[in-house]
Amino acid sequence: MHLGRILRLSGPILLLLGISAIPSVCLSWAAESEETKEVALQVILVNSSSEAEVISQRLKAGESFEQLAKENSKDPSASVGGYVGRMRLASLRPEVQDALKGITPGEVTNAFKTPLGYMIVKVLPAAKEVEIKGMGGISRFAQAVAGNVQYTTDVSGSYEAVLLFSHFQKVPDDQQDLAANCQDRLRALPSGIANLESYLGSLKDQQARASSSDLMSAHELLGQLWAYQGDVAKASEHLQAACDVAIHNSLTDVQRELEEKLGIEEMRRGENENCLHGHHALSCIFPLGREVWHQRVAGSQNAIQHFLKCLNQNPDDLEVKWLLNLAYMTLGEYPQRVPKQYLIPLSVFESKEDIGRFLDVAPSLGLDVFNMAGGVIVDDFDNDGLLDVVISSFDSCAPLRYFHNNGDGTFTDRTAQAGLSNQLGGLNIIQTDYNNDGWLDIYVMRGGWEEPIRGSLLRNNGDGTFTDVTQEAGLAKAPTRTQTAVWADFDNDGRLDLFVGNEFAPSQLFHNNGDGTFTDVAHAAGVDRVSFTKGVVAGDYDNDGYPDIYVSNLGAENFLFHNNRDGTFTDVARPLHVETPIYSFPVWFFDYDNDGWPDLFVSSFTYSLSEVLRSYLGLPVHQETLKLYRNMGNGTFQDVTKKAGLDRVLMPMGANFGDVDNDGYLDFYLGTGGPSYASLVPNVLFRNHEGKYFADITASSGTGHLQKGHGIAFADINNDGDEDIFAELGGATQGDKYFSALFRNPGHHGNNWITIKLVGVKTNRAAIGARIKLTLDSESHTRRYIYRWVGSGGSFGASPLQQHIGLGKARQIETLEIWWPTSRTRQAFNDVPANQFIEVKEFQKDYVRLKRRTFALPSMQ
């Protein structure tokens, strides 16, 4: 998918870089109507002609194209053996078309030069396309992208901006210097836009000789870049100019695509003028009620006209139908004004259950941070018994934000006082106590989706400040692109190690040396695999006392690294049949059925608005669904996705789990979306029914936010015994920022709870990996068991390390047992009362009851 856009748009993008020799390499719109032939392609892209020549010789010698692509190609398709899907010949760059002349299915082109490097292309036979030799499960991904899936129409400029940033002339060492990296990005986009506008001006000066495709592509590219910046007026102006060229040249298909893009941009205008500028607790909550109907209506009204034009040409376009329905909803004109043939019933989104209405109280607490996509940690950083909030941003010039919980219903922004103002960017963050000093530290991940840049290990000094110790810790070497990492004590030496999953670079396993430094032992451990990794988690799936690692990859099989207890790991994903979904993202271990064995949730990620809608409507889907693997306790997993009611296609990025009704069974929340402004689908809250199935309670709970969902945390923010949900919201572009949300739990579920803070002595101080077992005497006097493992939850967003556990109707815990992995010791406490906070320290004979301040959260705005 990525390379298809590179082949078509790399020429105009080179204009942004100030390259003077501008070939006519824009979209071949005019040829589209004459040549509709499509071919399925695999591609290898390298930097030099010498590299390409060596690979060509190896191909002629009979080596596998797929394997050479995985090992050598710098294109994102490398993870799937170079497979880039089916493409229309007429839409490819001229040099690609020339190279493919005379090439029949099964044959490979000679190496040829493109603006991005040297390329070798293979044409796949139809049969081979769906069963690429040696790729195993990848063939399912190949089928998925072979033309059945309508990917979301992109209006964001994110792809164009990333490509621009990657080629822009940077200052030295900007991969280590966060401020320099910020300055590079601030210079790159205006420079690129200025170059392109200059080129467009030259085209207009010589319009008689300028091709219509050049004009159209330049306008569209400018429209995308202004969309990235968030300038709706300029984006729409250029998209309309491109559309006018398409109309003038009778390019019907192109016109329809541009009409939709104009509609999407006008939808964004409506969001900006209403949801952003008039932001309140109910803004953008789906289904849209009277309180959020737009007061400034021009954006949605204009969008409707564009969408209707699209549907007149293609009435079956489900993506446009959905956006049309949504536009009418924002005006309070749904369903009466929606043409019947395009109406999507709201009934498909209804919740069959209702546990109460959650309310976004972030605006009242000053926690509604306006930001791009990012991560969140909710935990106690100053050991005062109150949960603080730390938020990061994809914006390379935005600092971490640290909000101190004052314990009275207010929060204070202490970013500057904490010394975090210079910690810029970071798509995800997680907490730890890497040096066992009793104070939670922070690890920041950067570079995901973009360019390699170092992360940050921020040591908590215990006085309200943090110090960046990344360099001295040895974690700044070899900057990578990542947004996912996990802390665990993989060798049970009492010190937390760090596993980092990277994009198209080997994963890293940093062993904690105990002196403040780390050593990367990934190669020796056998976990330095290369993929487009999007999520990593640790969990002891076989209960042998040593944490294992699950790695979620976007576009390739996933890994489950079994800990061999000797410093090495073995990938057992395929033998245990947990290697899919091929296109996956958030992931976690949790014991959803309370049988004492960690189960595995792996979310598929489908960048297709129409596929998500097909799933809601009960229509056949062309993509893999979410996956829930039940741990059978005998070293195997069973796919129970359909049985659990989770055979859904969604678009989740941030995600986490918790117990929203204190019934003792873990629920979960998915933050959904994609780069395009068209990715308007509700975030989703699933309730666990006694470990048997999950029910979608999004609509009834009021948690169906339409803005992009990223870092998610479950936390009892006000110590009242109910877990609230924090959602860091916002997209991947400057123009797609939004306000974070804190959904207050309505409570009144009639169930009891306990919150347990564990303190390791021989085991790591944060007790990550320790196991908790509760034995309860139910109302029917039958024993019930609840299990928890200490950790921050899912792979995108961090919940507190203290464990909040719902007890159902039980008023006390018959037996509370703690198992400590390093000392391999157990503690047991009998008849522990419910509804309290306690601390359990390793080796201590008694637990300690903790005093916690409780405060009320707003019940209405």
Side-chain angles (χ1 to χ4, degrees):
M1 290 187 296
H2 301 281
L3 192 62
R5 298 190 69 190
I6 290 174
L7 294 175
R8 295 191 298 269
L9 292 176
S10 57
I13 290 172
L14 287 174
L15 294 167
L16 307 181
L17 312 179
I19 297 176
S20 57
I22 307 299
S24 178
V25 293
C26 300
L27 290 167
S28 302
W29 304 114
E32 236 176 24
S33 59
E34 300 173 6
E35 190 174 357
T36 59
K37 183 179 179 182
E38 291 186 346
V39 287
L41 303 178
Q42 285 173 280
V43 172
I44 296 174
L45 181 67
V46 294
N47 290 318
S48 67
S49 59
S50 58
E51 289 177 274
E53 182 58 33
V54 169
I55 292 171
S56 290
Q57 293 303 318
R58 293 175 67 181
L59 287 168
K60 289 176 182 177
E63 291 194 44
S64 163
F65 193 102
E66 296 82 38
Q67 193 59 39
L68 288 172
K70 292 175 74 174
E71 293 174 356
N72 299 281
S73 182
K74 68 175 185 175
D75 185 73
S77 63
S79 65
V80 288
Y83 184 80
V84 294
R86 300 187 66 80
M87 294 185 182
R88 183 176 293 156
L89 278 172
S91 70
L92 301 178
R93 289 176 49 87
E95 62 265 39
V96 183
Q97 294 185 46
D98 290 342
L100 288 171
K101 287 178 180 177
I103 300 296
T104 60
E107 294 183 341
V108 177
T109 68
N110 293 321
F112 57 95
K113 188 177 182 180
T114 75
L116 294 182
Y118 289 81
M119 190 177 293
I120 303 170
V121 179
K122 180 178 181 179
V123 179
L124 286 174
K128 197 76 167 178
E129 181 182 1
V130 294
E131 188 54 51
I132 301 174
K133 183 179 179 181
M135 296 294 285
I138 300 302
S139 63
R140 281 168 286 181
F141 170 69
Q143 286 178 295
V145 299
N148 292 326
V149 176
Q150 176 190 351
Y151 290 100
T152 305
T153 299
D154 184 56
V155 180
S156 68
S158 57
Y159 166 81
E160 291 79 5
V162 168
L163 196 57
L164 169 60
F165 294 148
S166 68
H167 288 78
F168 191 75
Q169 185 66 42
K170 303 176 180 66
V171 300
D173 208 33
D174 80 328
Q175 293 185 342
Q176 296 288 343
D177 188 331
L178 304 181
N181 183 67
C182 163
Q183 291 303 311
D184 279 345
R185 291 173 180 275
L186 290 176
R187 292 186 298 116
L189 206 59
S191 175
I193 289 176
N195 288 334
L196 190 55
E197 286 182 333
S198 176
Y199 171 67
L200 182 60
S202 70
L203 285 179
K204 291 178 179 178
D205 289 342
Q206 46 182 316
Q207 192 159 1
R209 297 194 306 274
S211 73
S212 59
S213 61
D214 285 346
L215 282 169
M216 187 162 48
S217 294
H219 276 299
E220 184 181 355
L221 190 49
L222 273 168
Q224 291 282 9
L225 291 172
W226 283 118
Y228 180 91
Q229 292 284 71
D231 192 322
V232 175
K234 288 185 178 179
S236 294
E237 174 189 340
H238 284 287
L239 290 174
Q240 184 62 62
C243 190
D244 291 341
V245 176
I247 293 171
H248 180 74
N249 289 276
S250 301
L251 302 175
T252 306
D253 290 343
V254 181
Q255 177 193 346
R256 184 178 66 244
E257 179 183 344
L258 289 167
E259 288 283 5
E260 182 184 353
K261 290 181 176 180
L262 279 161
I264 292 167
E265 194 61 37
E266 288 297 324
M267 285 278 286
R268 187 65 200 185
R269 182 198 303 274
E271 293 173 71
N272 290 349
E273 294 177 348
N274 295 273
C275 301
L276 270 66
H277 296 154
H279 175 65
H280 56 82
L282 299 177
S283 295
C284 289
I285 301 295
F286 184 84
L288 303 177
R290 180 182 297 272
E291 304 89 348
V292 297
W293 290 351
H294 288 187
Q295 301 301 306
R296 304 182 69 177
V297 299
S300 289
Q301 287 179 341
N302 292 340
I304 287 170
Q305 297 308 309
H306 289 296
F307 294 147
L308 287 174
K309 289 179 183 178
C310 296
L311 291 169
N312 284 338
Q313 297 181 52
N314 183 9
D316 297 323
D317 191 321
L318 190 54
E319 173 175 297
V320 179
K321 281 184 185 179
W322 165 246
L323 294 173
L324 177 72
N325 279 256
L326 201 57
Y328 276 114
M329 289 180 204
T330 65
L331 300 176
E333 297 176 352
Y334 174 95
Q336 65 274 15
R337 295 290 300 277
V338 184
K340 290 183 179 179
Q341 68 271 32
Y342 305 140
L343 182 65
I344 295 177
L346 267 183
S347 58
V348 300
F349 298 94
E350 290 177 355
S351 300
K352 296 180 180 179
E353 302 173 8
D354 187 353
I355 66 166
R357 188 83 175 176
F358 288 67
L359 181 71
D360 178 12
V361 297
S364 297
L365 300 179
L367 293 175
D368 54 335
V369 177
F370 188 63
N371 230 331
M372 290 169 65
V376 63
I377 304 170
V378 181
D379 216 321
D380 183 1
F381 286 95
D382 55 0
N383 290 335
D384 65 353
L386 298 164
L387 297 176
D388 311 303
V389 179
V390 180
I391 299 171
S392 69
S393 176
F394 194 41
D395 184 345
S396 297
C397 296
L400 286 184
R401 301 289 297 278
Y402 171 43
F403 293 91
H404 177 259
N405 188 335
N406 300 321
D408 58 2
T410 65
F411 287 76
T412 300
D413 187 344
R414 291 189 178 174
T415 303
Q417 298 94 311
L420 297 175
S421 298
N422 60 352
Q423 290 299 320
L424 307 177
L427 188 51
N428 198 7
I429 47 178
I430 50 175
Q431 78 274 42
T432 187
D433 182 1
Y434 79 94
N435 54 0
N436 288 331
D437 66 352
W439 300 91
L440 289 179
D441 314 297
I442 299 172
Y443 184 69
V444 185
M445 291 149 272
R446 300 187 178 92
W449 303 104
E450 295 194 336
E451 287 282 284
I453 186 171
R454 73 168 176 91
S456 289
L457 177 61
L458 307 175
R459 185 186 66 212
N460 189 332
N461 300 318
D463 59 1
T465 68
F466 293 81
T467 299
D468 188 337
V469 295
T470 317
Q471 295 283 354
E472 62 195 70
L475 297 178
K477 299 174 183 177
T480 60
R481 304 192 306 177
T482 184
Q483 64 173 56
T484 185
V486 65
W487 292 93
D489 185 359
F490 294 107
D491 55 359
N492 275 340
D493 64 354
R495 300 186 294 265
L496 288 167
D497 312 301
L498 176 66
F499 183 91
V500 181
N502 295 311
E503 297 176 0
F504 305 123
S507 292
Q508 297 161 298
L509 176 56
F510 293 102
H511 178 259
N512 190 330
N513 301 320
D515 59 359
T517 67
F518 293 80
T519 302
D520 187 356
V521 297
H523 182 69
V527 295
D528 57 337
R529 299 278 292 276
V530 178
S531 194
F532 191 43
T533 298
K534 290 283 96 183
V536 296
V537 286
D540 184 7
Y541 79 89
D542 56 355
N543 280 338
D544 68 350
Y546 284 77
D548 312 296
I549 308 167
Y550 192 88
V551 179
S552 169
N553 300 312
L554 198 65
E557 290 186 3
N558 303 321
F559 315 136
L560 174 55
F561 292 118
H562 175 258
N563 192 328
N564 299 323
R565 297 183 285 177
D566 61 0
T568 68
F569 294 77
T570 301
D571 182 8
V572 295
R574 276 196 182 186
L576 296 185
H577 307 293
V578 294
E579 74 274 19
T580 61
I582 295 299
Y583 227 64
S584 61
F585 206 143
V587 60
W588 59 69
F589 286 102
F590 72 154
D591 187 2
Y592 82 94
D593 55 358
N594 283 329
D595 66 352
W597 295 90
D599 309 298
L600 181 61
F601 174 85
V602 191
S603 171
S604 60
F605 180 84
T606 299
Y607 188 38
S608 171
L609 192 53
S610 64
E611 287 296 299
V612 174
L613 266 294
R614 292 180 71 85
S615 185
Y616 272 109
L617 292 166
L619 300 173
V621 295
H622 308 109
Q623 293 277 272
E624 291 178 289
T625 68
L626 311 175
K627 286 291 183 183
L628 178 63
Y629 296 108
R630 185 182 179 220
N631 191 329
M632 304 305 291
N634 57 1
T636 65
F637 287 88
Q638 181 182 41
D639 185 345
V640 295
T641 308
K642 188 171 184 178
K643 182 179 179 182
L646 294 177
D647 51 338
R648 301 270 300 274
V649 173
L650 297 168
M651 214 184 289
M653 298 174 292
N656 221 321
F657 59 86
D659 186 356
V660 293
D661 55 0
N662 282 335
D663 65 351
Y665 291 94
L666 290 169
D667 317 297
F668 65 90
Y669 186 76
L670 302 178
T672 65
S676 177
Y677 297 139
S679 302
L680 292 168
V681 289
N683 299 332
V684 187
L685 178 60
F686 285 101
R687 183 193 183 201
N688 187 338
H689 259 270
E690 299 181 343
K692 299 173 183 176
Y693 65 92
F694 290 82
D696 184 341
I697 60 169
T698 307
S700 63
S701 64
T703 56
H705 217 294
L706 286 172
Q707 295 296 323
K708 316 295 171 54
H710 284 86
I712 306 296
F714 282 72
D716 181 5
I717 201 78
N718 60 337
N719 292 336
D720 68 347
D722 293 298
E723 282 193 296
D724 312 294
I725 304 173
F726 194 99
E728 203 281 344
L729 304 173
T733 70
Q734 292 290 337
D736 204 9
K737 294 181 179 180
Y738 201 73
F739 302 92
S740 49
L742 175 62
F743 291 108
R744 175 188 59 81
N745 194 316
H748 310 296
H749 306 298
N751 293 321
N752 299 306
W753 55 275
I754 192 166
T755 296
I756 305 171
K757 178 180 179 180
L758 298 186
V759 179
V761 176
K762 188 173 183 180
T763 299
N764 67 87
R765 181 73 176 263
I768 291 174
R771 185 171 63 207
I772 301 170
K773 178 183 178 181
L774 308 181
T775 303
L776 308 178
D777 187 0
S778 70
E779 289 182 327
S780 59
H781 301 294
T782 57
R783 280 203 173 92
R784 176 188 172 192
Y785 305 99
I786 297 175
Y787 298 86
R788 295 287 187 272
W789 285 258
V790 176
S792 58
S795 59
F796 202 157
S799 300
L801 295 179
Q802 66 180 30
Q803 296 297 295
H804 175 98
I805 305 173
L807 305 177
K809 303 300 180 184
R811 294 187 176 89
Q812 71 174 17
I813 301 164
E814 186 175 300
T815 308
L816 166 63
E817 299 175 72
I818 313 295
W819 182 81
W820 299 90
T822 300
S823 65
R824 305 188 76 81
T825 59
R826 296 180 186 272
Q827 291 165 289
F829 308 98
N830 298 320
D831 301 326
V832 179
N835 303 327
Q836 62 171 331
F837 295 83
I838 66 172
E839 179 180 284
V840 179
K841 194 170 185 178
E842 191 174 14
F843 304 126
Q844 293 295 309
K845 294 182 179 180
D846 297 307
Y847 66 85
V848 176
R849 182 167 185 168
L850 301 173
K851 293 182 179 180
R852 291 289 185 257
R853 280 178 284 170
T854 300
F855 57 90
L857 293 176
S859 58
M860 59 185 297
Q861 295 295 115

